[in-house]
Amino acid sequence: MTTVGILYPGHFAQDDYPRMEILLDAVRLVVHHTEVADDAYGPEALLRTGEPGRLAAGVADLQRAGAECVVWAGVAGSFLYGWEGAHEQTRALARAVGVSASSTSFGFAHAVRELGAGRVAVASTYSEQVTGAFAAFLRAAGVEVAATTSAGLGSAAEAAAWDLDRVKELATAADRPEADVVLLSDTALHTAGHEAELEELLGKPVLTGNQVTVREGLRLAGRRAWSPRLGRLFAGREAPPAPVAVWGEGRARAHSGRGGGARSSDVRE
């Protein structure tokens, strides 16, 4: 049994995680809900979700639960810190919890690479300003962004209230013929178990926030898991591609003396 710790902001689409736990074999997803004083989708409110004190408050619970790794599931509360800031965020988290740590933002970059995609289209619930910051983060990771579409929602509660039809509308609006993959970046959207249906609709892989969060945790734990309902990212049973020495220019990695050495996400710069 692999235990993945999830730091999830607030209470919006957290029920995606027990659903994925059922769909995956021998995977335990332990969710700690971090404090969200304001669920607004303005940049300042989103940045506050990723403050060190908010993330550190969940460390003890995840340690007691035996988490083998930890993923911060606040997407905008990661990429809005910028490429270097997001690395420092996960480095600090890794040092605090004593195991490998990453975030959903880095998970998207890793998942795109795993699928061998060249270009992506971003389907965002956020404003154009925040969506642009996500596109910039992806480009810093070496991902080519073909197009972005912004729904301009005002809060996580609004995103959580969307049904599957609304999610499909956003994904369809964002898709472009030149895009190899469509990204639905928000972990407040209910998408777990609908990825294969979304992929059938678009005829290409679809990456969603909560799906990618779990995949990133399993990557850190060195574990493979499969479920066709979770889309192409979880569909193949072949071995993962061999790691490359360089992806872009350099990489960021953290080390700690605790627990045999903790590290942050190893996305290449």
Side-chain angles (χ1 to χ4, degrees):
M1 177 72 73
T2 300
T3 301
V4 175
I6 309 291
L7 288 172
Y8 185 88
H11 297 75
F12 299 104
Q14 71 277 359
D15 47 331
D16 268 13
Y17 292 96
R19 187 172 295 117
M20 286 186 282
E21 203 173 51
I22 292 170
L23 292 172
L24 296 168
D25 180 44
V27 173
R28 180 176 173 234
L29 304 175
V30 179
V31 179
H32 175 89
H33 299 278
T34 63
E35 180 187 352
V36 176
D38 183 355
D39 74 332
Y41 274 177
E44 291 184 3
L46 290 167
L47 280 167
R48 284 195 294 271
T49 67
E51 291 173 341
R54 295 180 191 272
L55 302 189
V59 164
D61 283 350
L62 298 181
Q63 288 173 326
R64 284 192 293 270
E68 299 167 45
C69 58
V70 174
V71 184
W72 161 228
V75 191
S78 171
F79 67 74
L80 280 171
Y81 282 83
W83 183 251
E84 293 299 332
H87 272 101
E88 178 52 40
Q89 184 184 60
T90 57
R91 283 194 288 264
L93 182 57
R95 288 192 296 266
V97 75
V99 296
S100 299
S102 187
S103 69
T104 306
S105 297
F106 289 121
F108 272 111
H110 279 127
V112 169
R113 176 174 173 268
E114 182 174 345
L115 291 173
R119 298 183 182 91
V120 304
V122 175
S124 170
T125 56
Y126 307 118
S127 67
E128 290 185 3
Q129 177 187 359
V130 175
T131 302
F134 184 47
F137 182 92
L138 292 170
R139 292 186 182 107
V143 176
E144 184 175 348
V145 180
T148 63
T149 297
S150 303
L153 298 187
S155 69
E158 289 182 53
W162 273 22
D163 60 15
L164 182 58
D165 287 341
R166 295 290 300 277
V167 175
K168 287 180 176 179
E169 288 174 9
L170 178 60
T172 301
D175 189 21
R176 297 292 186 276
E178 64 271 26
D180 302 312
V181 181
V182 173
L183 276 54
L184 284 156
S185 59
D186 196 346
T187 54
L189 288 174
H190 291 88
T191 55
H194 300 301
E195 286 82 1
E197 187 175 348
L198 289 165
E199 291 182 343
E200 183 177 1
L201 173 68
L202 300 181
K204 63 185 62 175
V206 173
L207 298 175
T208 69
N210 292 321
Q211 166 217 44
V212 163
T213 299
V214 174
R215 187 60 159 203
E216 182 70 351
L218 293 174
R219 184 191 70 81
L220 290 178
R223 166 75 193 281
R224 301 286 291 182
W226 301 272
S227 175
R229 288 183 58 186
L230 292 175
R232 212 166 303 179
L233 187 64
F234 280 93
R237 289 181 176 269
E238 69 277 3
V244 295
V246 176
W247 183 22
E249 298 179 359
R251 65 181 175 182
R253 181 174 294 189
H255 296 276
S256 167
R258 299 178 58 190
R263 63 181 175 84
S264 66
S265 167
D266 61 354
V267 174
R268 275 70 172 176
E269 297 185 47

